[in-house]
Amino acid sequence: MRKKSGVNIRDIAAELDLNISTVSRALNGSFLISRETTELVQHKAHEMGYQFQRMKKNIVILLPSSDSELAWYSINLINALQNRLRQTAYRWEFITEDNIDLIQERSIAGMISLVYLPHLFLKVSAKYNIALVCINNTSRPSDNVYSVNSDAVNAVSKAFNCLVEYGHKNIAFVSQNCGSFAEKNRQAAFVSISKKYGLQNSCFIVPAQVDNCHGIVLDLYKKGVTGIITDGESAGLKIWNSLNFCKIDVPRQMSLIAWEIPHVSGMVSPAITTVEQDFSQLAEKALQLLENRWNNDRQMSDIQVPYLLHLRDTVSIPRMD
């Protein structure tokens, strides 16, 4: 920051009876200084004619813990965030959840979290005075923690409606059962939509087991299921592979709608019909929420991002045997 002649950090510190280091950190928006003190110092600086120079803000992208596997979802979201951030003047770095205390050694203006289990905001909001935006996780506006979420109801509605329009009535939702905030929302949406169509007795949720996908699809086929919706990027390709391994004709004997894996879902044969998280919009809206927080926007709220539907070759009218 550039000081106006005659007004410097020492002057502000003397006026407020604070340490010079405290004033310096407050002027730079350090989370080590309480929100009340930061507002007090910055108000006094403006009052005294201190001239602020706009500085590059530092953003942390928080990843799941280092022992977690970065799956298709995380990789696509990281790429989208980097593409968006390259269009800004911000600096950014990646830190894993188990190394979150490293932010105490840095001057951080805000954090975008990719951690998808609903516990993170409690840890961050309780310990750090920092703007936090969670992607596909819960929020706590009272602690200045907001979220950008792919719209679960929108995704499941698009997939379910597609199958119903083709005449399917026996539909299974194969869930990864990982306990994430987004997954619970999608399961609830599936139950609600099946009731809306009056199909709650012929539609059900099946927890996916990584080592038993072949058994799952065979069991569903024997029960007369004609349409499967898989939850999450990784699960869809596994179920697609198991359907082919078990020689269940897709889509004549079983229709499939999965979560999109960019550059993969449309290249296999048959090409998979998918719903896709709009990663570029998730990144755009997450950064927008951070900027709104920095600007003290009092009308902030969580943001829902619609899914995209890619109709390809794995959905057809169910065969009547």
Side-chain angles (χ1 to χ4, degrees), residues 12 15 18 20 26 55 73 97 99 133 143 169 175 199-200 230 248 259 265 275-276 294-295:
I12 300 169
E15 281 285 322
L18 293 173
I20 293 172
M55 300 179 67
Y73 162 78
E97 182 187 3
N99 291 312
V133 173
D143 289 325
K169 297 181 178 180
S175 176
L199 299 175
Q200 63 269 26
T230 65
I248 297 174
W259 256 238
S265 301
V275 288
E276 180 182 13
W294 293 331
N295 293 327

Side-chain angles (χ1 to χ4, degrees), residues 214-233:
H214 298 348
I216 289 173
V217 299
L218 282 173
D219 185 57
L220 293 177
Y221 180 68
K222 290 175 182 177
K223 289 179 178 178
V225 169
T226 61
I228 294 176
I229 301 171
T230 65
D231 180 19
E233 283 77 11

Side-chain angles (χ1 to χ4, degrees), residues 274-293:
T274 62
V275 288
E276 180 182 13
Q277 300 195 62
D278 193 335
F279 293 105
S280 63
Q281 277 298 297
L282 288 172
E284 175 77 26
K285 298 302 182 182
L287 192 56
Q288 176 185 317
L289 278 184
L290 267 189
E291 291 170 343
N292 289 349
R293 172 66 184 85

Side-chain angles (χ1 to χ4, degrees), residues 240 265-273 312-315:
W240 176 89
S265 301
M267 302 300 292
V268 297
S269 181
I272 305 173
T273 294
R312 299 191 180 107
D313 302 329
T314 57
V315 175

Side-chain angles (χ1 to χ4, degrees), residues 31-182:
F31 67 89
L32 296 174
I33 306 302
S34 71
R35 187 176 306 142
E36 293 78 12
T37 300
T38 296
E39 291 176 354
L40 175 65
V41 170
Q42 293 187 357
H43 176 76
K44 178 58 70 174
H46 282 292
E47 184 181 273
M48 295 176 66
Y50 185 89
Q51 186 171 343
F52 292 82
Q53 179 183 6
R54 187 174 296 276
M55 300 179 67
K56 286 188 176 181
K57 287 185 169 64
N58 297 319
I59 299 173
V60 160
I61 310 300
L62 192 67
L63 304 176
S65 60
S66 54
D67 59 354
S68 300
E69 178 184 353
L70 286 181
W72 294 102
Y73 162 78
S74 298
I75 293 170
N76 288 314
L77 190 48
I78 288 170
N79 288 339
L81 280 167
Q82 289 193 120
N83 289 338
R84 178 65 188 88
L85 285 165
R86 288 190 187 103
Q87 302 171 35
T88 72
Y90 306 132
R91 297 187 181 95
W92 71 93
E93 65 177 307
F94 296 96
I95 293 179
T96 57
E97 182 187 3
D98 47 334
N99 291 312
I100 191 172
D101 286 338
L102 288 174
I103 68 174
Q104 295 183 83
E105 304 171 8
R106 294 152 168 79
S107 178
I108 303 299
M111 179 185 298
I112 297 175
S113 170
L114 276 57
V115 178
Y116 47 82
L117 295 178
H119 64 277
L120 171 78
F121 70 94
L122 294 172
K123 181 190 301 184
V124 173
S125 63
K127 190 170 183 179
Y128 308 107
N129 176 25
I130 187 171
L132 171 63
V133 173
C134 299
I135 297 182
N136 284 328
N137 206 333
T138 188
S139 65
R140 180 178 278 186
S142 61
D143 289 325
N144 294 305
V145 180
Y146 293 88
S147 67
V148 176
N149 298 309
S150 293
D151 190 334
V153 175
N154 175 265
V156 178
S157 293
K158 284 183 174 178
F160 203 102
N161 291 343
C162 180
L163 289 174
V164 169
E165 287 174 1
Y166 274 86
H168 294 271
K169 297 181 178 180
N170 300 315
I171 301 169
F173 186 77
V174 179
S175 176
Q176 298 181 92
N177 208 31
C178 67
S180 72
F181 173 79

Side-chain angles (χ1 to χ4, degrees), residues 1-13 20 23-24 27-28 45 48-55:
M1 295 182 178
R2 182 181 304 160
K3 282 73 70 178
K4 189 174 182 178
S5 177
V7 180
N8 57 41
I9 291 176
R10 291 179 183 275
D11 297 327
I12 300 169
I20 293 172
V23 171
S24 177
L27 290 173
N28 283 282
M48 295 176 66
Y50 185 89
Q51 186 171 343
F52 292 82
Q53 179 183 6
R54 187 174 296 276
M55 300 179 67

